[in-house]
Structure formats: C-alpha cells, structure tokens
C-alpha cells in the first residue's frame, strides 16, 4: 500500500504551490498598481502647485514634467509620462471647453497627464490583462503672473 502512495505529497505540494504563487504575484501587481496611481496623483498635484506662479510665455507643461523628473518620484519612469496643457483665457471658455494649446497669459489651464504602466508579473495571463494600463490624470489650475 505504501509503494502506491509514493510521490503523492510532492504532487499535492506542486499543485498547491502554483496557484498560491500566482495569487501572490497578482497581489504584488495590484499593490504596485495602486502605489503608482497614488504617486502620479501626488506628483501632478505638487508639480502644478509649484507652477501656479509663472511668467507670461513659459511652457508650463514642459516645466511640470521637468519638476516631476527633478523630484525623483519612485516607480515613475519619465519616458512613459506625457503631459499636455490646454489654456483658457476666461472662465466661460473653460466651461465651453474652448481652449488653445499654447500658453500666452491665460489665467486658467487644464493639464492632462498620461502614463503607461506595464504589468511585470502577470503578462502571462493575456485573457485577464492586456499587459499594460494607461493612467490618465486631469487637473485644472488657475495661474497668477509674477
């Protein structure tokens, strides 16, 4: 009877370990996903706050990206980060979504941050995940000029 059960524990261990490791990797990826999401919120808010006082012809979207890069936020790769600025000359244009893309003394702005995050450990599950996710953050800013 004992000879027929030889290796049963090894098979049970292997069959239990594989789903456990998959769940652990998925848990780590979800934690990383939430952390990157939170870091992007903080980085965009801090950088736009520092750019509220500006001069007339600054390229503020570039300044915001440079500010994020200078602060060395963990887990944020700058080559996957894109920031677009839209500018409004008065509040009615902001409400009507009538914007321009070049900054020339407009008091209101909308900055859109786009970040593509690749999943590291779960790319082998193409049915559930496509391997990457794009975060999109939008913030509205009222500038004042020094």
């Amino acid at each position: 009877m004992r000879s027929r059960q030889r290796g049963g524990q090894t098979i049970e261990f292997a069959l239990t370990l594989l789903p456990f490791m998959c769940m652990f990797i998925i848990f780590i990826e979800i934690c990383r996903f939430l952390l990157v999401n939170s870091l992007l919120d903080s980085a965009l808010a801090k950088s736009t706050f520092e750019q509220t006082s500006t001069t007339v012809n600054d390229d503020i979207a570039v300044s915001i990206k440079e500010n994020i890069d200078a602060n060395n936020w963990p887990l944020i790769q700058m080559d996957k980060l894109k920031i677009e600025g839209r500018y409004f000359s008065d509040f009615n244009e902001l409400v009507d979504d009538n914007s321009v893309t070049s900054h020339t003394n407009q008091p209101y702005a909308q900055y859109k941050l786009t970040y593509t995050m690749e999943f590291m450990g779960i790319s082998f599950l193409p049915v559930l995940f496509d391997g990457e996710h794009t975060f999109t953050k939008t913030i509205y800013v009222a500038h004042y000029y020094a």
Side-chain angles (χ1 to χ4, degrees):
M1 184 79 174
R2 187 139 171 87
S3 64
R4 296 174 78 193
Q5 293 180 357
R6 192 174 304 175
Q9 292 175 344
T10 305
I11 291 172
E12 288 176 6
F13 176 75
L15 291 176
T16 305
L17 184 65
L18 185 62
F20 176 75
M21 291 303 292
C22 287
M23 286 189 317
F24 182 73
I25 290 171
I26 289 172
F27 176 75
I28 295 296
E29 286 293 329
I30 290 171
C31 290
R32 190 172 146 262
F33 178 84
L34 293 173
L35 183 61
V36 167
N37 186 27
S38 178
L39 287 172
L40 287 172
D41 281 338
S42 297
L44 183 61
K46 183 177 188 287
S47 296
T48 53
F49 176 75
E50 292 177 1
Q51 296 298 322
T52 54
S53 174
T54 183
T55 59
V56 175
N57 293 322
D58 285 345
D59 189 354
I60 301 173
V62 171
S63 299
I64 290 171
K65 188 171 181 177
E66 289 172 353
N67 193 330
I68 292 172
D69 190 23
N71 284 314
N72 295 324
W73 291 89
L75 299 178
I76 296 178
Q77 299 171 354
M78 292 308 294
D79 58 327
K80 297 179 181 182
L81 182 80
K82 187 171 94 172
I83 296 179
E84 299 171 356
R86 297 173 54 207
Y87 305 97
F88 307 91
S89 60
D90 61 18
F91 191 75
N92 290 330
E93 284 187 1
L94 186 121
V95 171
D96 295 337
D97 200 29
N98 185 16
S99 65
V100 294
T101 56
S102 61
H103 177 252
T104 52
N105 204 20
Q106 294 97 337
Y108 301 108
Q110 173 196 39
Y111 298 103
K112 181 179 174 183
L113 179 144
T114 307
Y115 183 79
T116 303
M117 178 183 157
E118 294 179 4
F119 293 110
M120 294 173 14
I122 56 176
S123 60
F124 61 88
L125 296 173
V127 175
L128 299 175
F129 302 99
D130 63 355
E132 66 181 26
H133 177 75
T134 302
F135 291 102
T136 303
K137 309 287 181 186
T138 304
I139 193 166
Y140 291 91
V141 177
H143 291 288
Y144 64 92
Y145 299 96

